[in-house]
């Protein structure tokens, strides 16, 4: 019996992993808009976040050009939630109960670019170089995934089929997107990795990194850049150590004084724009798939919302009026 079939084989989970894997130090989570106003331009930060929440970290506000070509974590969860609704309807049609995954609160979705240039300055002060603790709604969803390991055999087979990719899961995917394949994240993975490494060596970034290194040296630390500082194997511990907290505080201070993140984002934005121009056909094809899946998911969620708002069965509309 394959473990967690939907969790390990769904294209959506793979897309989420792809998105997170491209940011050094990032984990599997996603970034939801917390406002209805337009997002900032790529490579820029959102000043509204500074005005509305002085604790907001850099990653909450960072947007890069290639982000438009891949499902964000928030979008991945949106599509996954729509798939859950369709699976529930399929299972109900088979006379079987299906408990949908609990929704993740938008405030609990991790920023897409968290850790891209090293530790986020705000996070470094709180957690050192360790990841953020999972918030409650993420914990609940993960627990629900784990509970599916113990589904009764008949329910598991109906939901996922013998292979783990069939049953109502396959039906839900077909109903959701028809014959359109899930977005191809490979182009994004390759290009965003190239962009990060290219920008890391960009001539325009060198003066900024020199300033950061000089600042860190005054505090007694010697690293080439914030990414290297965050990747030190000394920080692979159950929790932040006093030494880790001390360096993370210095790192956060030096990042702010040298404006590393602003300069690095500007350099990478220029690199990404060039890569997008050179790979336009491949990226546009992937974006078309992404847009198709997102539109389909929103239709399912909107329809589910209408059903909940007006739960009266269809036959009541045929009753005679008095």
């Amino acid at each position: 019996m394959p473990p967690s079939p939907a969790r390990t084989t769904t294209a959506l989970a793979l897309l989420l992993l792809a998105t997170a894997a491209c940011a050094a130090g990032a984990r599997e989570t996603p970034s939801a808009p917390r406002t209805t106003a337009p997002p900032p331009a790529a490579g820029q930060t959102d000043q509204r976040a500074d005005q509305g929440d002085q604790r907001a970290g850099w990653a909450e506000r960072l947007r890069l050009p290639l982000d438009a070509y891949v499902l964000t974590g928030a979008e991945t969860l949106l599509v996954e939630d729509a798939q859950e609704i369709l699976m529930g309807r399929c299972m109900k049609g088979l006379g079987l109960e299906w408990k949908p995954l609990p929704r993740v609160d938008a405030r609990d979705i991790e920023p897409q670019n968290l850790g891209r240039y090293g530790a986020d300055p705000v996070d470094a002060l709180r957690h050192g170089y360790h990841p953020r603790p999972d918030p409650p709604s993420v914990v609940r969803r993960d627990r629900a995934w784990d509970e599916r390991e113990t589904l009764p055999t008949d329910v598991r087979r109906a939901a996922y089929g013998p292979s783990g990719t069939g049953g109502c899961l396959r039906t839900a995917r077909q109903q959701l997107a028809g014959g359109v394949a899930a977005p191809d994240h490979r182009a994004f993975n390759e290009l965003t990795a190239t962009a990060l490494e290219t920008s890391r060596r960009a001539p325009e970034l060198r003066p900024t990194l020199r300033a950061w290194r000089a600042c860190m040296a005054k505090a007694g630390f010697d690293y080439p850049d914030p990414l290297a500082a965050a990747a030190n194997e000394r920080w692979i511990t159950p929790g932040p150590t006093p030494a880790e907290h001390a360096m993370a505080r210095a790192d956060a201070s030096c990042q702010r004084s040298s404006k590393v993140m602003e300069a690095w984002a500007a350099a990478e934005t220029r690199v990404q724009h060039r890569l997008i121009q050179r790979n336009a056909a491949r990226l546009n094809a992937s974006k078309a798939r992404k847009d198709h899946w997102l539109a389909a998911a929103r239709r399912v969620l909107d329809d589910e919302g209408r059903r909940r708002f007006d739960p009266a069965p269809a036959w009541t509309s045929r009753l005679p009026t008095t």
Side-chain angles (χ1 to χ4, degrees):
M1 183 168 61
S4 300
R7 195 177 193 177
T8 56
T9 62
T10 178
L12 307 175
L14 292 174
L15 285 164
L16 177 55
L17 285 167
T19 303
C22 295
R27 293 181 300 133
E28 283 180 41
T29 42
S31 124
R34 301 185 187 181
T35 173
T36 56
Q44 297 179 356
T45 61
D46 190 347
Q47 297 303 318
R48 293 164 308 188
D50 287 329
Q51 297 164 2
D53 183 0
Q54 293 297 326
R55 299 170 301 167
W58 171 267
E60 261 85 359
R61 313 188 302 275
L62 177 61
R63 304 290 185 272
L64 293 169
L66 279 168
D67 292 348
Y69 297 90
V70 70
L71 287 174
T72 66
E75 291 168 342
T76 298
L77 290 172
L78 184 147
V79 178
E80 196 171 77
D81 287 341
Q83 180 175 275
E84 282 289 300
I85 290 170
L86 295 174
M87 283 192 69
R89 294 176 188 174
C90 175
M91 295 291 282
K92 184 178 180 180
L94 297 175
L96 296 169
E97 183 180 358
W98 183 252
K99 184 179 179 182
L101 297 171
R103 300 283 177 89
V104 173
D105 192 302
R107 294 171 298 179
D108 292 343
I109 298 176
E110 203 167 82
Q112 175 156 338
N113 291 305
L114 181 65
R116 185 156 187 83
Y117 306 131
D120 180 87
V122 172
D123 277 8
L125 292 175
R126 297 174 183 171
H127 312 299
Y129 295 105
H130 278 67
R132 298 176 175 183
D134 286 335
S137 68
V138 174
V139 172
R140 286 193 295 271
R141 193 176 182 98
D142 285 345
R143 186 178 298 124
W145 272 119
D146 292 339
E147 288 172 356
R148 291 189 177 177
E149 296 274 8
T150 58
L151 285 173
T153 303
D154 60 331
V155 175
R156 191 182 185 93
R157 182 173 290 270
Y160 302 122
S163 66
T165 59
C168 281
L169 173 62
R170 179 178 296 167
T171 299
R173 288 178 182 168
Q174 182 63 31
Q175 291 175 345
L176 182 63
V180 177
D184 179 8
H185 58 267
R186 289 172 297 180
F188 173 84
N189 273 1
E190 294 167 7
L191 296 176
T192 196
T194 297
L196 179 60
E197 285 306 311
T198 301
S199 64
R200 195 176 188 178
R201 301 188 301 271
E204 63 265 38
L205 187 59
R206 290 172 189 164
T208 303
L209 290 180
R210 278 199 297 269
W212 179 86
R213 287 195 294 269
C215 177
M216 290 290 283
K218 290 179 182 178
F221 303 108
D222 181 18
Y223 291 89
D225 57 39
L227 271 179
N232 193 321
E233 292 185 357
R234 291 175 60 199
W235 317 140
I236 304 177
T237 57
T241 63
E244 179 181 344
H245 272 303
M247 195 175 100
R249 284 194 295 270
D251 187 3
S253 176
C254 292
Q255 284 187 37
R256 288 194 174 98
S257 64
S258 59
K259 298 188 183 300
V260 168
M261 299 303 163
E262 292 89 336
W264 202 330
E268 185 173 12
T269 294
R270 287 189 285 272
V271 172
Q272 288 200 9
H273 278 309
R274 292 197 297 268
L275 291 172
I276 289 170
Q277 291 175 351
R278 296 171 188 168
N279 297 272
R282 187 180 179 191
L283 287 169
N284 288 337
S286 180
K287 188 174 186 302
R289 291 187 193 177
K290 166 193 165 177
D291 292 345
H292 178 90
W293 277 67
L294 273 178
R298 290 188 176 112
R299 285 194 296 271
V300 171
L301 293 168
D302 288 346
D303 176 63
E304 181 69 8
R306 285 191 295 270
R307 291 185 185 210
R308 291 182 179 180
F309 182 75
D310 183 17
W315 57 263
T316 60
S317 63
R318 298 193 294 272
L319 291 177
T321 57
T322 57

